[in-house]
Amino acid sequence: MKAIVCSFIRDESLTEIANSLKLEKIDKLPYHITFYSFDLLDHKKRGLEEIVEKFNSSAMPLIVGVRGIETTTYGTVRFSLENSNVLQEFHEKIVRGCNTIRNKDVESKANQFYHEFSKEEQKLVDLYGRPNVMQRFRPHITLGKTNSIIEKKMDISISLDNLSVYYTD
């Protein structure tokens, strides 16, 4: 199964803005920021929930800056978030904590391109299942898909009150 460690967005004004855009939904989850997704064996679920509980009691709430709405080249619309040092460190701690129970026997998509990666990237794939999970953290909240370009600058802060885990097959 796949485990997604995320924080659901509870800020009503942000949710209202997102809903007003009337985008095609691409995610079954409510609006959220994903910190790490990985393969997990069923018997490790309790261990993951304990890791998440520790983060909730020691590091939450976390204040995050929303800097705008952007459309990617693939037509995905998202809130872009400020990647502060605090948020980057938080992400890295989550990855390191969750990686201790990640199912390393499942071949990641990155393994398809393993031979194209540098030795350093190959080490990261072996360790985390991805080549640049730490360096390429781009915090955002996916809103949906569109055929048009939506761009808007924003400067607001929201509180991420707790981490959650979502499981998929």
Side-chain angles (χ1 to χ4, degrees):
M1 88 180 71
K2 181 83 65 185
I4 301 168
V5 178
C6 60
S7 184
F8 293 109
I9 306 307
R10 311 252 188 254
D11 186 278
E12 289 181 25
S13 63
L14 214 57
T15 302
E16 284 178 26
I17 292 168
N19 290 339
S20 74
L21 298 173
K22 306 216 182 302
L23 302 168
E24 174 190 339
K25 291 279 187 195
I26 56 174
D27 207 337
K28 293 178 184 176
L29 294 174
Y31 301 122
H32 65 281
I33 175 173
T34 299
F35 286 99
Y36 191 41
S37 64
F38 57 99
D39 291 294
L40 183 73
L41 294 171
D42 195 53
H43 71 276
K44 300 274 186 166
K45 283 171 83 170
R46 183 67 200 135
L48 175 58
E49 289 160 8
E50 288 172 3
I51 289 168
V52 167
E53 285 171 18
K54 285 180 188 172
F55 276 103
N56 282 335
S57 64
S58 67
M60 302 306 270
L62 188 65
I63 304 302
V64 176
V66 179
R67 297 300 169 243
I69 301 173
E70 61 187 14
T71 306
T72 69
T73 54
Y74 303 106
T76 302
V77 179
R78 61 193 192 180
F79 285 121
S80 59
L81 304 179
E82 179 181 352
N83 192 6
S84 65
N85 289 338
V86 171
L87 191 58
Q88 180 69 37
E89 288 172 16
F90 185 71
H91 161 72
E92 289 177 11
K93 287 178 184 176
I94 290 170
V95 171
R96 285 189 190 100
C98 294
N99 195 57
T100 61
I101 60 171
R102 179 176 68 88
N103 182 359
K104 295 174 177 88
D105 293 331
V106 174
E107 191 169 297
S108 72
K109 289 181 186 177
N111 282 347
Q112 299 171 35
F113 308 100
Y114 194 82
H115 64 281
E116 297 175 20
F117 295 135
S118 69
K119 293 291 182 200
E120 184 60 32
E121 288 173 320
Q122 288 176 354
K123 286 179 191 175
L124 292 169
V125 170
D126 294 341
L127 185 60
Y128 299 117
R130 301 189 189 141
N132 298 306
V133 70
M134 301 299 193
Q135 299 89 338
R136 291 206 177 156
F137 178 58
R138 302 289 181 263
H140 65 275
I141 302 164
T142 301
L143 304 177
K145 287 280 238 191
T146 186
N147 291 325
S148 57
I149 295 175
I150 302 172
E151 301 287 331
K152 179 181 179 182
K153 294 229 182 269
M154 300 172 73
D155 188 18
I156 61 172
S157 294
I158 61 169
S159 176
L160 302 179
D161 297 326
N162 67 315
L163 286 176
S164 299
V165 180
Y166 181 78
Y167 300 102
T168 65
D169 290 324

